[in-house]
Structures are given as structure tokens and as C-alpha cells.
Amino acid sequence: DADVTQTPRNRITKTGKRIMLECSQTKGHDRMYWYRQDPGLGLRLIYYSFDVKDINKGEISDGYSVSRQAQAKFSLSLESAIPNQTALYFCATSDSRTGNAQPQHFGDGTRLSIL
Amino acid sequence: AQRVTQPEKLLSVFKGAPVELKCNYSYSGSPELFWYVQYSRQRLQLLLRHISRESIKGFTADLNKGETSFHLKKPFAQEEDSAMYYCALTPTYKYIFGTGTRLKVLA
């Protein structure tokens, strides 16, 4: 089945470390997104990309960077991790070919803890 | 400003009771609205979207433009409905999620 895969599933690291979360998809979708999920705050958009050359900041991009290495791959980096970046991170994809407002398809998430 | 409001963080109901999860939105144009569900330790998945006007797992949601609402309803709750529910608005190509409502269905 076509899927959205996130690695790693869990990560514990220390303050100041650089971390990369990876997302790959076999759905053939052009749009990819990174969200973080915090209790009581829901999902907040970090970055989104409509194709390899189009990357945009979301509402909470400070402290994060992304790379769209290919249509199927979208990585999220924390350059210097801090404890308040401890959260559950989700990658999502959508397909613009059938219209702008298409459902998003999510990965299983990466649980990141920063000590 | 574009916003989605889910006023209840937690909703507890007994099995067999009706359920209504509230969602209000703020958007001046014609919205596209969705409900997503996240079962324990699983990924978010689409439950339904307003343009489909379909019923999934017994849930329905009607868009009320006058009240700017898209409440999720089910006449008889089941224990397997216990999950986190998110309402989402997509004005164009970005998605705005509410803060979510945790539904607990008690035996």
C-alpha cells in the first residue's frame, strides 16, 4: 500500500544537538507538510512544500529547517535542539492534482524528547 | 483571521448515548472542512469531509454557514469511538487544525 513513512519513530536527545527527522512517501503526492502536536495545542504547521523547489514557512518555523530532497522525501531538522521542542512530529502529504483542498495523509509520527 | 475552534478538550459520554463534537470556524470565503480522528497510538486519519456529505462509522457532519459550524455527530456512541478528534479548515492549500477534542465513551 502507498504510505507515508517517518523515521525514527522515537528519539531522545540532549539540548544543543542537531536532529533530523525524515519523511518519505510512496503516494506520489506533490505536497508535503511537517506539523508538531502538543497536548492542548493541536497540530501546528512548521513547514510545507508544494514541490522540490517550493518550500514555505508555517506558523512555528523558528528553530527548524527543512529539505525537500526529492518529491518523495521531506526532512525536518532541528539545528540546536531545546527542551520546548519536545513534541510529537507528524509528516503529511496531499495531492494537488485533484484540487487544492484535498485530504492530508499522515505518517505515524516521531516522538521526540529533548533533555 | 482564519481559525478553527473546538471548545471542548474532553467529552465523556456513555455507550449508546448521542455524541456531538463541536467545531466552529472563522473564514470569510467558502471553506473546505474536514474531521480527522486519531485512535490511541495511531496516525491521524481522515474521518469525513463536508463536500462528500457521507457517513463514516456512523458519524455525520453538516456545514452550517450561518453559524460557521461543522459539528460532528453520532446518534449512538460505541466504545471504539474513543479517540482524539480534530476539525480542520483548508481555505486554499494550507490546513488549519483545531486543538482537538478527546472523546471518551464509557461502558
Side-chain angles (χ1 to χ4, degrees), chain A residues 31-77:
Chain A
R31 295 180 175 178
M32 298 186 74
Y33 306 77
W34 275 105
Y35 294 91
R36 64 177 280 176
Q37 183 184 41
D38 298 277
L41 297 178
L43 275 78
R44 292 181 291 166
L45 182 63
I46 306 172
Y47 271 95
Y48 60 101
S49 169
F50 288 169
D51 65 36
V52 174
K53 296 182 180 179
D54 180 30
I55 293 178
N56 305 279
K57 292 182 178 180
E59 59 181 306
I60 54 162
S61 59
D62 287 349
Y64 301 95
S65 63
V66 291
S67 172
R68 184 86 183 262
Q69 301 96 322
Q71 188 184 40
K73 295 183 182 294
F74 192 36
S75 300
L76 176 71
S77 293

Side-chain angles (χ1 to χ4, degrees), chain B residues 83-101:
Chain B
M84 194 76 179
Y85 291 80
Y86 290 97
C87 183
L89 165 71
T90 175
T92 51
Y93 43 80
K94 279 170 42 174
Y95 295 78
I96 300 166
F97 285 84
T99 52
T101 297

Side-chain angles (χ1 to χ4, degrees), chain A residues 78-90:
Chain A
L78 287 68
E79 298 301 326
S80 179
I82 56 177
N84 74 2
Q85 292 177 312
T86 292
L88 184 56
Y89 289 83
F90 284 104

Side-chain angles (χ1 to χ4, degrees), chain A residues 3 37 102 104 106 108, chain B residues 36 38 43 49 86 93 95:
Chain A
D3 204 3
Q37 183 184 41
Q102 294 305 310
Q104 296 204 303
F106 287 85
D108 284 326
Chain B
Y36 286 84
Q38 185 179 27
R43 64 179 68 182
R49 55 190 300 190
Y86 290 97
Y93 43 80
Y95 295 78

